Amino acid sequence: MILAFLLSTFILLVSTLVQAAILSNITFLPAVPDLCLICVLYFSLHNGKLFGETNGFISGLFLDFLSAGPLGLNCLMRTIIGYVGGIFNKTINTEGFFIPVLLGACATVLKVLITWLLSFLFPNSIIAYNPFTILFVFEIAINSLLTPIMFKILGLFSKTLVLKPENVL
């Protein structure tokens, strides 16, 4: 369990650095693909609520240190997404193409809904998404299309990353 946690933390750190340092500097992309969100979704779907929310918090912490947003915003948002993904632990088959695409779209919509709700609670510090723009559509599309690819890549490490059923909380 400790090895799975350490490896998932390393994967989250690498995906955060790729997302913040490389993908955010590509000028022809209207929105940055959220690799950390996809990784948290994979970890929570395969390892349960506790593992998902812990990895969500860690990825949010990495993103909060690298972004200009309020400290704790990404932690809260990704912890909730990790918990919600963990509710469906080992009940959804993530091996195909269409289910991961749907999961990536749902996770992106949940991220936007959480940000929108928090922007009502903290209007001066959080800028909400406008779901009626091309940026939002592009982010859903790119996250949805990257989800099956990331799930296949993370599936290569499934012997180490995926916990045995008796260790899942």
Side-chain angles (χ1 to χ4, degrees):
M1 183 165 174
I2 293 173
L3 182 62
F5 180 74
L6 291 175
L7 182 61
S8 66
T9 302
F10 177 73
I11 289 171
L12 288 171
L13 177 64
V14 170
S15 65
T16 303
L17 291 174
V18 167
Q19 180 178 331
I22 298 171
L23 295 177
S24 65
N25 291 323
I26 298 176
T27 56
F28 62 87
L29 289 177
V32 178
D34 201 343
L35 300 178
C36 292
L37 179 74
I38 297 169
C39 290
V40 167
L41 185 64
Y42 179 85
F43 298 143
S44 64
L45 285 170
H46 288 87
N47 294 324
K49 295 181 278 195
L50 180 64
F51 203 86
E53 65 190 12
T54 305
N55 279 307
F57 181 81
I58 289 171
S59 73
L61 200 60
F62 290 155
L63 283 171
D64 279 339
F65 285 134
L66 293 175
S67 70
L71 188 64
L73 173 66
N74 286 308
C75 289
L76 177 64
M77 182 176 14
R78 290 163 196 284
T79 301
I80 293 170
I81 291 170
Y83 181 81
V84 170
I87 291 172
F88 302 104
N89 175 31
K90 301 201 188 292
T91 59
I92 297 176
N93 184 8
T94 60
E95 296 299 319
F97 178 77
F98 293 109
I99 298 297
V101 166
L102 183 63
L103 290 170
C106 289
T108 305
V109 168
L110 182 60
K111 178 180 94 165
V112 169
L113 286 175
I114 293 169
T115 306
W116 182 70
L117 178 66
L118 289 173
S119 71
F120 278 121
L121 299 173
F122 304 101
N124 294 331
S125 57
I126 299 173
I127 300 171
Y129 279 86
N130 184 359
F132 302 108
T133 62
I134 193 71
L135 293 174
F136 177 65
V137 173
F138 183 79
E139 186 174 3
I140 286 179
I142 195 72
N143 285 347
S144 298
L145 293 176
L146 279 178
T147 302
I149 298 167
M150 289 292 293
F151 278 18
K152 292 289 184 195
I153 292 170
L154 292 172
L156 297 174
F157 306 104
S158 66
K159 296 233 186 264
T160 308
L161 284 176
V162 177
L163 300 175
K164 294 181 176 97
E166 60 269 8
N167 294 336
V168 175
L169 297 175

